[in-house]
Amino acid sequence: MATETLIWLIPLPPALAFFLIVLFTNRNKALSHTIAVGAAFLSWLGSMIVFVRALRVESLGENPFESSVNWLPTGDTWFRAGVLVDPLTAVTLFFVAWTVLMIFIYSVGYHNFGQPAGDHDHKGLPPHGATVDEHGHKHVVPSVEPLYSRFFAFIGLFAFGMFTLVVSDNLLTLFVGWEIMGLCSYLLIGFWYGKKSARDAAVKAFMTTRIGDVFMLLGIAYLYSVTGTLSFREIFTETTLRTLASIPSMVNGLSSAGLIGLLLFIGTIGKSAQFPLHVWLPDAMEGPTPVSAMIHAATMVSGGVYTAIRMFPLLSLDSTTMSIVAFIGAFTALFAATIALAQNDIKRVLAYSTISQLGFMIAALGIGAYVAAVFHLITHAFFKALLFLGSGSVIHGMEHGVLHTGKHDVDPQDMFNMGGLKNKMPITFWTFLIGGFALSGFPIVTAGFWSKDEILADAFAHNLPVFVTLAVAAFLTAFYTMRQITLTFLGEPRTKEAAHAHETPWTMTTPLVVLSVLAIGYGWIGIPEHFPLLGGLVPNWLHDFVGGTLAEHPEALEFNVVPLLTSLVVALGGLGLGYLMYRNVNSPAEDKLQLGFLKNKYYFDEIYDVVFIKPVTWFADKVVYQIMDKGFIDGILHLFGPGTQGIGDGIRNYFDLPVINKFFGDGSANATYFSGEKLRLAQTGRIQQYLMLALILFLAIGAALYFLIKV
């Protein structure tokens, strides 16, 4: 099969799975997840074939795989839509395909396939367990998800949106995939819609990301109005970029390129939860854990950063825009890392960690470290998917303990209810440890070290304030990661529920093992050539390959010991300090970082509630509803009501009754009645009379004819 044809087909299996499950197989759980996992496998297979073929193309950046068709008529021409695989697309397809497939497989075990239906489970609420009788002994076991098939349909559509975004050759179809993911995030965050917190989180995510999407759509429209195209290959030509850089915008100090880039970047701020639109992402934890992995690692937030990286040739044309991007990224990286220090929910720690790590990528992009941003995007997808799925495995194991003790008021996601899980859940522990060390940038062996070290090296070379900010954020990352590992897995169980936790099924642990291999090994393809001892042993393939996406290949940095030592200190120092501080902590009261402003996320939700939500709600109620709707619109309706009633009465009294009813209706009846009365006199029934009338009529007709002919 031709590569271009195969690229068109990559997004289709998950979309087809969505429709098949929704329309035909939703009552059959086994068939539904088989279709979904099979679809993810087909997309994975297609992506791997395209990836391997892309590696064989010399100068893929200059000669990408591309194909397009006429889509929308634009007068004398057509807007063309198609697919494009260049080096950036190829490496993105690689990590998206692997993480999506692992998440699909993991979901089978997470939703307790093969377990009985719950005793009191309801659709729209998490399963609460089922009582089974084995050998005369009754005990409670996990129950299957009531909306099992629906979940696989939704994540299939989610995967379709991400694959569409990645392979698109233009901004418009990219935006279509972008919005499909926005819809799916709403559906999946609020998957357990019976919980008010889940419903609120879904609405919050949808509305917050829509803010960024509106600005992004304005940027797309502005770009099309200036260039007449949305195709990446046409936008990134030297002539078009020079034109965009030379045309001033409506904002003083910004060129058209700068304003368009800023508008598109606001879309990334919303989708990738950067400050100040970061507030939706932690609440997204209300959805099932595979959803968290999809949103935080494989698809949605990665799609935001991917789009910013894709538009880098445009962003880099304006220094003001680049400075804004660098500031937002660096500030978000540090800001979110501080909040993660005080979170006790195992998934919320990872949520703020995701916001922080995305800030690293955005900051790298803002200082021009294109390859470093791509590198960290890929490694982060692997180790953060691993961590989220690992946290889901921990929660799953804790829920076993909750079912065993029957204490449903114990929160299975609170790390202070855990402890000692290292021996209870060994596969989960070791894979989570690998993911945590990769996130922390543990030296040499983890992928996170190589990608984060490259960002720090670029920041040290180009922007010292960003370097210092990211270094502090990296230290805090290692610290809160070790805090999480220590509270969750080390020491002794702090609750009976933790003491009765046990390892999860193979459908959940196998994806953890696969992702842990990638969280270690993928970093080795990006070892800098000038790195002491190791440099050159493994070619820096990623830099050469991904750098070929740009017209001007970025130069590799000369080795500098300062960022390397900084990486070692912040990673090892943060991990060591985290262990020392929390190895003997057994309750929140003993945790010195349980500070109110950190636990409450600097009160941003409360601030937004006072500054935005309550004023908008007041305006909607008092102005829009009370004044405009009830006062103005209803007043107009009430004004027209009596008038139309009077007109109707007049028509009825002066036209309908006298003319229609009496003259035409009753008049025709009266005329008919009168005629009948008069004609009835001639109907006597006497034959002699009828003959006499006929004779008279005959004589009258004869006389008339005689006189008429004679004349």
Side-chain angles (χ1 to χ4, degrees):
M1 182 183 295
T3 303
E4 290 77 8
T5 304
L6 185 58
I7 298 168
W8 280 102
L9 296 176
I10 286 174
L12 294 184
L16 183 61
F18 167 76
F19 288 109
L20 288 176
I21 294 171
V22 169
L23 297 176
F24 302 110
T25 70
N26 57 86
R27 294 183 181 276
N28 189 317
K29 295 181 176 62
L31 187 56
S32 294
H33 80 230
T34 301
I35 291 173
V37 174
F41 174 77
L42 290 176
S43 293
W44 172 87
L45 182 62
S47 299
M48 293 305 103
I49 294 172
V50 170
F51 178 73
V52 171
R53 291 180 182 178
L55 297 182
R56 297 173 181 171
V57 177
E58 187 175 354
S59 301
L60 180 65
E62 300 174 6
N63 306 289
F65 297 118
E66 56 183 333
S67 173
S68 62
V69 296
N70 291 337
W71 185 24
L72 300 173
T74 57
D76 296 334
T77 60
W78 286 83
F79 181 88
R80 296 180 65 82
V83 294
L84 171 73
V85 171
D86 59 6
L88 175 60
T89 305
V91 295
T92 306
L93 270 179
F94 182 86
F95 82 76
V96 169
W98 272 104
T99 51
V100 164
L101 179 60
M102 293 301 104
I103 290 167
F104 274 57
I105 295 172
Y106 176 95
S107 298
V108 175
Y110 179 84
H111 286 302
N112 301 318
F113 175 73
Q115 295 292 103
D119 300 335
H120 307 289
D121 286 352
H122 298 282
K123 293 180 179 180
L125 289 172
H128 289 90
T131 304
V132 296
D133 191 343
E134 293 182 356
H135 310 296
H137 175 67
K138 290 185 178 181
H139 62 281
V140 181
V141 298
S143 54
V144 69
E145 166 59 49
L147 294 174
Y148 186 89
S149 296
R150 177 188 290 199
F151 179 84
F152 281 96
F154 285 172
I155 61 171
L157 188 62
F158 209 148
F160 166 71
M162 185 60 185
F163 280 119
T164 299
L165 180 147
V166 173
V167 301
S168 293
D169 74 339
N170 66 89
L171 268 172
L172 188 56
T173 50
L174 179 148
F175 191 70
V176 171
W178 181 284
E179 289 302 302
I180 289 172
M181 288 196 295
L183 169 65
C184 291
S185 70
Y186 169 78
L187 296 173
L188 287 166
I189 293 171
F191 182 74
W192 287 320
Y193 54 83
K195 296 168 59 181
K196 184 180 184 301
S197 56
R199 297 196 303 271
D200 292 344
V203 172
K204 184 178 183 180
F206 191 79
M207 296 303 295
T208 306
T209 54
R210 289 296 77 71
I211 296 171
D213 293 358
V214 168
F215 284 96
M216 182 178 181
L217 191 57
L218 290 173
I220 293 173
Y222 188 9
L223 177 62
Y224 186 77
S225 69
V226 175
T227 64
T229 182
L230 294 176
S231 169
F232 300 133
R233 297 278 286 173
E234 295 176 7
I235 294 169
F236 299 151
T237 61
E238 184 179 353
T239 303
T240 304
L241 291 176
R242 189 185 307 116
T243 301
L244 289 168
S246 61
I247 298 175
S249 72
M250 61 192 75
V251 178
N252 291 332
L254 282 179
S255 63
S256 290
L259 182 56
I260 292 169
L262 193 58
L263 290 171
L264 296 177
F265 177 65
I266 294 174
T268 294
I269 290 176
K271 193 69 77 178
S272 294
Q274 297 296 282
F275 176 87
L277 299 180
H278 63 282
V279 292
W280 69 269
L281 195 59
D283 289 359
M285 298 300 96
E286 290 291 338
T289 299
V291 176
S292 304
M294 286 283 281
I295 292 176
H296 293 73
T299 57
M300 187 162 169
V301 296
S302 295
V305 176
Y306 168 83
T307 302
I309 294 172
R310 171 60 72 192
M311 300 308 296
F312 177 77
L314 178 64
L315 290 170
S316 61
L317 294 176
D318 193 284
S319 59
T320 303
T321 299
M322 290 290 280
S323 298
I324 294 172
V325 172
F327 172 78
I328 291 292
F331 179 81
T332 304
L334 181 59
F335 168 78
T338 59
I339 298 177
L341 296 172
Q343 302 304 306
N344 298 332
D345 185 306
I346 188 172
K347 287 171 63 177
R348 284 187 179 269
V349 174
L350 297 177
Y352 281 105
S353 171
T354 298
I355 298 172
S356 179
Q357 295 304 303
L358 295 172
F360 273 82
M361 304 170 208
I362 296 299
L365 206 62
I367 61 175
Y370 178 84
V371 176
V374 176
F375 194 12
H376 200 54
L377 174 67
I378 300 168
T379 61
H380 175 264
F382 290 134
F383 63 68
K384 189 53 63 68
L386 171 59
L387 287 170
F388 268 109
L389 297 185
S391 70
S393 182
V394 168
I395 295 167
H396 207 267
M398 285 291 296
E399 287 172 344
H400 276 273
V402 170
L403 293 176
H404 181 85
T405 62
K407 296 180 179 179
H408 293 283
D409 57 335
V410 174
D411 185 359
Q413 297 184 197
D414 190 333
M415 294 184 295
F416 282 101
N417 291 330
M418 301 175 189
L421 296 183
K422 177 173 68 71
N423 298 323
K424 300 290 182 178
M425 309 177 69
I427 299 176
T428 300
F429 165 68
W430 287 108
T431 54
F432 196 96
L433 186 70
I434 291 171
F437 276 20
L439 170 62
S440 304
F442 188 83
I444 310 301
V445 295
T446 64
F449 167 76
W450 297 109
S451 59
K452 195 174 293 186
D453 179 67
E454 187 163 348
I455 292 176
L456 291 175
D458 269 289
F460 183 77
H462 299 111
N463 194 312
L464 281 177
V466 170
F467 170 76
V468 173
T469 304
L470 294 183
V472 175
F475 175 82
L476 296 179
T477 300
F479 179 83
Y480 67 65
T481 300
M482 198 62 207
R483 171 183 182 266
Q484 186 178 42
I485 293 171
T486 303
L487 291 177
T488 302
F489 293 101
L490 304 184
E492 297 297 324
R494 286 184 288 276
T495 61
K496 291 182 179 179
E497 289 71 26
H500 288 94
H502 61 76
E503 191 60 272
T504 47
W506 70 268
T507 49
M508 296 176 69
T509 54
T510 301
L512 299 180
V513 174
V514 173
L515 289 171
S516 65
V517 172
L518 292 168
I520 293 175
Y522 203 90
W524 299 344
I525 64 173
I527 299 177
E529 295 178 0
H530 305 293
F531 195 86
L533 301 177
L534 298 177
L537 293 179
V538 179
N540 191 352
W541 166 83
L542 187 76
H543 188 276
D544 295 333
F545 184 70
V546 172
T549 308
L550 301 177
E552 295 184 11
H553 197 292
E555 296 182 1
L557 291 172
E558 291 292 331
F559 174 74
N560 191 308
V561 71
V562 175
L564 173 60
L565 291 176
T566 303
S567 295
L568 296 175
V569 169
V570 298
L572 297 177
L575 289 170
L577 184 61
Y579 174 73
L580 290 174
M581 282 191 62
Y582 285 94
R583 69 187 190 278
N584 295 319
V585 172
N586 294 310
S587 67
E590 301 174 28
D591 185 359
K592 294 182 174 59
L593 291 177
Q594 295 292 294
L595 305 175
F597 65 94
L598 293 181
K599 284 183 64 64
N600 291 285
K601 305 155 285 188
Y602 294 105
Y603 301 99
F604 263 87
D605 285 329
E606 290 78 5
I607 293 171
Y608 284 180
D609 185 60
V610 172
V611 175
F612 297 110
I613 298 175
K614 287 183 178 177
V616 169
T617 303
W618 178 89
F619 183 81
D621 180 38
K622 303 299 182 183
V623 178
V624 176
Y625 175 63
Q626 297 289 348
I627 298 176
M628 294 182 63
D629 188 19
K630 292 184 67 177
F632 183 69
I633 297 176
D634 287 358
I636 293 175
L637 294 177
H638 294 157
L639 178 64
F640 277 100
T644 53
Q645 179 69 35
I647 294 172
D649 289 342
I651 292 173
R652 177 177 179 274
N653 294 328
Y654 298 104
F655 181 75
D656 186 32
L657 290 176
V659 178
I660 303 299
N661 287 2
K662 292 186 177 180
F663 181 76
F664 287 105
D666 296 343
S668 60
N670 292 335
T672 303
Y673 180 77
F674 176 79
S675 301
E677 284 289 323
K678 300 306 179 184
L679 291 173
R680 189 174 61 179
L681 298 175
Q683 303 297 319
T684 62
R686 297 175 181 176
I687 190 64
Q688 298 90 339
Q689 187 177 358
Y690 295 158
L691 289 173
M692 183 62 68
L693 290 173
L695 179 60
I696 293 170
L697 183 61
F698 176 75
L699 292 174
I701 293 172
L705 291 173
Y706 173 77
F707 287 109
L708 288 172
I709 294 172
K710 183 178 180 180
V711 174

